[in-house]
């Protein structure tokens, strides 16, 4: 099932707007509704004030009315098995569980699977803040 997420993330990466970093990234989420939501990093001249692929995909999911990440794939053109950055890990955790699988990809497909707990141990938990 992760192959379709990989394909969606790779297609999104090709749409990245990364003229400053030259580091295109794509992400794809499967939400609780079964649909796939994709995003790419989008930079601006006030670099690094752009946004990453993961929150772009999360925004797509939220605007479609979904709230839960079931699984996610991430791919970067220049760094195989690129994990989400620290800020994105917390953004993903907001809509995922500790056991949500995050697939790290290279140009050929999914090469490593990590859980949110592995990516973000001791992250802020929404139930803690209330």
């Amino acid at each position: 099932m992760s192959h379709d997420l990989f394909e969606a993330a790779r297609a999104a990466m090709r749409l990245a707007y990364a003229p400053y970093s030259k580091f295109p990234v794509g992400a794809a989420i499967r939400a609780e509704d079964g649909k796939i939501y994709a995003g790419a990093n989008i930079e601006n001249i006030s670099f690094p004030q752009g946004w990453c692929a993961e929150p772009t995909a999360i925004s797509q999911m939220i605007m479609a009315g979904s709230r839960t990440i079931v699984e996610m794939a991430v791919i970067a053109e220049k760094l195989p098995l690129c994990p989400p950055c620290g800020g994105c890990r917390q953004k993903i955790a907001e809509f995922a569980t500790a056991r949500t699988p995050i697939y790290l990809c290279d140009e050929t497909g999914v090469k490593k699977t990590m859980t949110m707990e592995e990516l973000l141990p001791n992250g802020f938990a929404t139930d803690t803040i209330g």
Side-chain angles (χ1 to χ4, degrees), residues 2 7-8 19 23 29 32 34-35 38 54-55 67 74 82 89-91 93 99 115:
S2 59
E7 291 293 342
F23 193 78
I29 292 167
E32 79 275 10
K35 294 180 182 172
E54 297 88 344
R67 295 290 186 267
V74 179
C82 180
R89 292 176 193 203
Q90 188 63 57
K91 289 174 179 88
R99 294 184 313 276
T115 64

Side-chain angles (χ1 to χ4, degrees), residues 26-78:
I29 292 167
R30 185 179 327 279
E32 79 275 10
D33 62 5
K35 294 180 182 172
I36 295 175
Y37 301 96
N41 55 322
I42 303 169
E43 299 174 351
N44 66 58
I45 193 73
S46 185
F47 186 72
Q49 293 302 311
W51 52 93
C52 298
E54 297 88 344
T56 304
I58 291 168
S59 296
Q60 295 282 344
M61 179 187 76
I62 295 299
M63 294 308 296
S66 291
R67 295 290 186 267
T68 304
I69 298 171
V70 175
E71 55 185 346
M72 182 176 213
V74 179
I75 184 171
E77 185 177 88
K78 297 180 179 180

Side-chain angles (χ1 to χ4, degrees), residues 29 54 58 69-74 83-104 113-124:
I29 292 167
E54 297 88 344
I58 291 168
I69 298 171
V70 175
E71 55 185 346
M72 182 176 213
V74 179
C85 73
C88 286
R89 292 176 193 203
Q90 188 63 57
K91 289 174 179 88
I92 296 164
E94 183 76 15
F95 302 99
T97 70
R99 294 184 313 276
T100 299
I102 309 298
Y103 308 119
L104 307 182
T113 302
M114 299 184 76
T115 64
M116 274 311 302
E117 179 64 29
E118 291 170 321
L119 280 172
L120 188 65
N122 303 310
F124 289 138

